[in-house]
Amino acid sequence: MTETSVSTHILDTSVGRPAEGVPVELSVRTGIDALWAPHGVSKTDADGRCKDLPALPEGTTHVRLDFAVEQYFTAPTISAEEQQDAPRARDSGAFFPEVAITFAVKPGEHYHVPLLLNPFGYSVYRGS
């Protein structure tokens, strides 16, 4: 049987670039009423990707990805002038200090879950 796996990446849509250095925690559970169990941690690379998340344990039905984005938005790594739309918005800090994405999985499939992020909003989808 093929392993069930998860990957993710973050694109900072406010600057049109990958979000590097964002901590990501992977948690799993075996049913809607089961408790969450931590299963892996990673950090986005220079391309905004987490390629090293572990395969999911057998019996996993739900996955949660927790993105700790506050430090990314408050770090002085991207100057406000580099932002495409509203430079002052980025300097106001993180409206969402963390983003938690929960989704259902089926055995043997791969789930790529991109996060499109900006200081005041985010969007996710199942990618390929």
Side-chain angles (χ1 to χ4, degrees):
M1 177 186 254
T2 304
E3 291 182 324
T4 307
S5 58
V6 172
S7 60
T8 188
H9 77 268
I10 305 174
L11 177 65
D12 180 345
T13 59
S14 69
V15 291
R17 287 193 225 147
E20 181 179 2
V22 176
V24 179
E25 183 176 339
L26 169 70
S27 299
V28 298
R29 66 181 181 191
T30 56
I32 196 80
D33 295 324
L35 296 176
W36 288 106
H39 185 63
V41 295
S42 187
K43 189 177 272 196
T44 55
D45 63 15
D47 198 28
R49 297 181 180 276
C50 290
K51 299 175 185 172
D52 58 351
L53 293 170
L56 304 180
E58 191 172 322
T60 297
T61 60
H62 297 96
V63 172
R64 184 176 66 208
L65 291 171
D66 289 298
F67 300 89
V69 299
E70 184 170 34
Q71 185 176 11
Y72 169 77
F73 279 121
T74 57
T77 56
I78 298 174
S79 71
E81 292 75 33
E82 292 177 299
Q83 187 174 349
Q84 295 175 3
D85 294 324
R88 289 183 308 280
R90 184 174 190 90
D91 292 339
S92 65
F95 181 69
F96 296 105
E98 53 192 53
V99 174
I101 307 301
T102 304
F103 54 99
V105 297
K106 293 182 181 177
E109 292 192 30
H110 176 72
Y111 295 86
H112 183 67
V113 183
L115 173 63
L116 304 178
L117 182 65
N118 68 66
F120 296 103
Y122 62 88
S123 177
V124 297
Y125 59 96
R126 182 176 180 185
S128 57

